[in-house]
């Protein structure tokens, strides 16, 4: 059975969902908005680079609550409302969260709008290292 995780320290959900769902060592994290967990009603950071860092920090916070970190991420999906304008700045901020030889698989999609007026949303899938070893 899957485990459904909602963490008090995590960002306040903007819809009815869990922060993460875990099954058989796979951990699927809900897309994170660039909201501040300590001040959920504060204005969003200015610009896609700052919003990317806040969203990635939110993913890292949830991973940490699960005893994981960015090195456990195997795949990300990224959504940008201003794809052509923001793609380069997004990549600059995003890549700093991963070692150059440990970048997860990724899909980035341009969308018409995101919740809370965000410029970016990022979700990911992580894998626990101790599951399935010796197979």
């Amino acid at each position: 059975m899957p485990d459904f995780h909602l963490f008090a320290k995590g960002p306040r959900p903007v819809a009815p969902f869990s922060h993460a769902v875990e099954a058989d060592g796979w951990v699927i994290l809900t897309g994170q908005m660039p909201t501040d967990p300590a001040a959920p009603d504060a204005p969003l950071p200015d610009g896609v680079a700052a919003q990317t860092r806040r969203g990635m920090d939110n993913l890292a916070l949830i991973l940490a609550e699960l005893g994981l970190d960015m090195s456990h991420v195997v795949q990300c999906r990224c959504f940008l409302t201003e794809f052509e304008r923001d793609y380069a700045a997004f990549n600059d901020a995003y890549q700093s969260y991963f070692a150059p030889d440990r970048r997860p698989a990724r899909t980035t999609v341009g969308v018409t709008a995101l919740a809370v007026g965000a410029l970016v949303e990022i979700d990911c899938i992580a894998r626990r290292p101790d599951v399935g070893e010796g197979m």
Side-chain angles (χ1 to χ4, degrees):
M1 293 298 296
D3 291 321
F4 298 86
H5 303 284
L6 188 63
F7 300 107
K9 292 181 183 178
R12 181 176 67 198
V14 300
F17 54 71
S18 299
H19 285 128
V21 177
E22 184 170 359
D24 298 324
W26 293 101
V27 184
I28 298 98
L29 277 69
T30 294
Q32 290 302 302
M33 309 309 295
T35 55
D36 184 346
D41 296 319
L44 298 180
D46 289 333
V48 73
Q51 288 194 20
T52 299
R53 287 189 295 274
R54 178 75 261 161
M56 295 296 286
D57 289 347
N58 288 346
L59 289 172
L61 184 150
I62 294 165
L63 288 166
E65 289 288 309
L66 293 160
L68 301 169
D69 60 39
M70 288 297 196
S71 71
H72 298 103
V73 174
V74 296
Q75 194 265 343
C76 288
R77 291 185 308 176
C78 311
F79 306 91
L80 302 174
T81 60
E82 298 289 339
F83 190 90
E84 291 195 21
R85 181 193 75 188
D86 291 342
Y87 189 65
F90 164 78
N91 280 326
D92 286 344
Y94 171 91
Q95 71 182 348
S96 68
Y97 286 82
F98 302 102
D101 62 339
R102 301 237 353 131
R103 292 182 178 146
R106 188 183 99 183
T107 299
T108 305
V109 179
V111 297
T112 58
L114 292 167
V116 302
L119 299 172
V120 62
E121 180 175 356
I122 307 159
D123 68 20
C124 70
I125 298 172
R127 180 78 169 150
R128 289 201 179 274
D130 56 345
V131 176
E133 290 186 14
M135 295 176 93

